[in-house]
Amino acid sequence: MNILAIDPGSTSTKIGIFSNDKLMKYNIEHLDEEFIKIVRVIDQEVVRFNNIKHFLVENNLYNLKFDAVVARGGLLKPIEGGVYQVNDKILNDLKCGVNGEHPANLGGILAMRFAKIYDCKAYIVDPPVIDEMWEIAKITGIKDILRKSKFHALNHKEVARRIAINELGKKYEESTLIVAHLGGGITIGLHKNGKVVDVNNGLDGDGPFAVERAGGLPIDGLIDFMEKNNISFSQLKRIISKESGIFSLLKTKNMKDVEKLYNTDNYVKTVVEAFVYNIVKEIGSLYAAACGLVDALVITGGLAKSEFFMSKIKEYLKFLDKIFIVPGEYEIEALVNGAIRVLKGEEDAKIYE
């Protein structure tokens, strides 16, 4: 079984080659002048396709007979989790940006292009718009405003499956877990019986503040901020998602530098304590929502590599029996494993309507 996995990022594309029961992972940088000049993400398709194809040819991988091509799903309409076969409806919604613009929107499009070359099917797995939330978790104090489900679904679901099977000896669909993805953005979700029934929309600013994202903000303060600084809504969206959080408070996105200053700068120390406090408060709220009946807490993402931050989070949560740290992300593995489940008949590919 040979599988090609594609995971587009902002200036690079990660790919995975699964062959002979082994997974090889690569990172293809897109830093040439042609790419940098492209304004809209969707217009990067040709450059990314050619760069991936060139990489496969140069590394003697292009002639592999792939049984499936699988990619990270983009900002489609809200759907339940799982593996989806790429169809015209998916391609159309990715191209028009039906739920926003994101590099992941190119995933299904690139997968289909390569699938046509290899005469196989193209799939996407657990896109960031998975919506399995309880209805009561969506309702807010304004009738026409609902909480949205946008999060690191691909990595959330993969690490949850791994912990359920390998550490708890249970199926993911039989487990209740809280998964905290701590990276440039932070999303913390309650996984119950194979569904993410509550999660903060880390992409648009819900939940704890993160390395570069604002998190939840007091409405009156936000209105004053916009008026005093004459900020448009388009500028605000950029600030909330790219220029807030630790970056706004400490003028850095390097959390290792933040660690080094913790014991020498009182303001840095206060910001770090607030950062950790907001994370554990979000985790605690989901424990309450689950009536305390949680099998384990799983912490993943880039920040999970830091013993400094993990020790601080654990200090708050030392009353818990089971906390598992899964550093980094497993998006390529999640894509490959999703395709394998479909190819083996363990899971049916869903149809996007």
Side-chain angles (χ1 to χ4, degrees):
M1 172 183 312
N2 297 324
I3 298 169
L4 170 62
I6 302 172
D7 184 2
S10 56
T11 60
S12 66
T13 301
K14 297 174 184 176
I15 67 168
I17 306 292
F18 181 79
S19 182
N20 297 321
D21 291 326
K22 292 183 180 180
L23 175 61
M24 299 170 286
K25 298 193 293 183
Y26 307 93
N27 191 55
I28 302 171
E29 297 286 349
H30 309 295
L31 299 175
D32 53 86
E33 292 184 8
E34 182 183 3
F35 183 86
I36 293 172
K37 291 178 182 178
I38 301 173
V39 177
R40 296 175 67 243
V41 167
I42 203 65
D43 295 329
Q44 299 169 1
E45 176 191 343
V46 174
V47 174
R48 287 188 190 251
F49 174 80
N50 288 336
N51 287 352
I52 296 170
K53 182 178 178 181
H54 176 75
F55 178 87
L56 294 174
V57 171
E58 288 290 304
N59 289 275
N60 297 316
L61 298 168
Y62 187 70
N63 291 327
L64 280 175
K65 172 58 180 172
F66 289 108
D67 300 291
V69 183
V70 61
R72 184 182 179 191
L75 302 183
L76 297 162
K77 295 173 183 175
I79 53 178
E80 67 176 358
V83 182
Y84 286 79
Q85 183 176 333
V86 178
N87 58 16
D88 288 340
K89 291 181 180 179
I90 284 180
L91 294 176
N92 291 337
D93 280 357
L94 291 176
K95 289 176 180 178
C96 75
V98 68
N99 205 359
E101 187 174 88
H102 193 279
N105 288 4
L106 290 164
I109 296 169
L110 292 169
M112 180 59 84
R113 289 194 64 167
F114 281 102
K116 287 181 178 179
I117 292 173
Y118 296 108
D119 191 25
C120 64
K121 292 180 180 179
Y123 303 99
I124 59 170
V125 181
D126 291 330
V129 292
I130 283 178
D131 184 358
E132 302 167 335
M133 288 175 66
W134 287 326
E135 185 178 359
I136 58 173
K138 296 181 182 181
I139 295 173
T140 74
I142 296 181
K143 184 178 180 180
D144 294 329
I145 299 178
L146 296 176
R147 291 183 63 224
K148 295 180 180 179
S149 177
K150 289 184 181 178
F151 65 110
H152 304 88
L154 194 57
N155 193 50
H156 260 252
K157 292 260 187 178
E158 177 66 14
V159 298
R161 284 189 178 95
R162 290 180 177 220
I163 292 301
I165 295 169
N166 298 331
E167 300 292 344
L168 303 177
K170 303 171 69 173
K171 292 182 179 179
Y172 171 58
E173 293 76 14
E174 299 171 346
S175 305
T176 301
L177 302 164
I178 292 176
V179 178
H181 180 111
L182 311 182
I186 290 176
T187 55
I188 303 172
L190 174 59
H191 296 234
K192 187 174 180 64
N193 299 330
K195 306 287 186 183
V196 184
V197 295
D198 197 355
V199 64
N200 67 293
N201 177 358
L203 188 65
D204 295 332
D206 187 21
F209 71 85
V211 176
E212 59 184 10
R213 295 179 185 168
L217 298 168
I219 295 174
D220 59 338
L222 184 62
I223 293 171
D224 289 343
F225 176 76
M226 291 184 69
E227 291 178 345
K228 289 178 181 178
N229 296 282
N230 193 28
I231 292 172
S232 66
F233 284 108
S234 61
Q235 289 173 317
L236 182 65
K237 286 183 178 180
R238 187 191 71 250
I239 292 170
I240 285 175
S241 63
K242 295 293 183 183
E243 301 173 8
S244 298
I246 294 294
F247 177 71
S248 174
L249 295 165
L250 301 179
K251 306 306 177 187
T252 181
K253 295 182 183 180
N254 189 326
M255 298 305 284
K256 290 183 180 179
D257 290 343
V258 174
E259 285 186 40
K260 292 175 184 177
L261 293 170
Y262 177 81
N263 288 318
T264 59
D265 188 313
N266 286 333
Y267 179 66
V268 172
K269 184 174 183 178
T270 301
V271 168
V272 168
E273 296 299 335
F275 176 68
V276 172
Y277 175 79
N278 275 267
I279 291 171
V280 297
K281 186 168 69 170
E282 188 78 11
I283 292 170
S285 70
L286 292 180
Y287 264 97
C291 301
L293 302 175
V294 176
D295 295 315
L297 166 66
V298 185
I299 303 177
T300 185
L303 202 64
K305 298 176 183 178
S306 168
E307 293 185 8
F308 170 80
F309 282 102
M310 292 304 97
S311 65
K312 290 200 160 294
I313 290 172
K314 285 181 179 179
E315 182 65 24
Y316 273 98
L317 304 172
K318 55 189 176 183
F319 60 90
L320 299 179
D321 292 330
K322 294 179 180 179
I323 301 177
F324 298 99
I325 310 297
V326 187
E329 50 81 19
Y330 293 82
E331 291 183 341
I332 290 293
E333 289 86 348
L335 295 174
V336 170
N337 289 337
I340 289 174
R341 291 195 298 271
V342 169
L343 291 175
K344 286 185 173 182
E346 297 172 354
E347 181 177 328
D348 292 329
K350 297 178 180 178
I351 302 300
Y352 178 76
E353 300 289 352

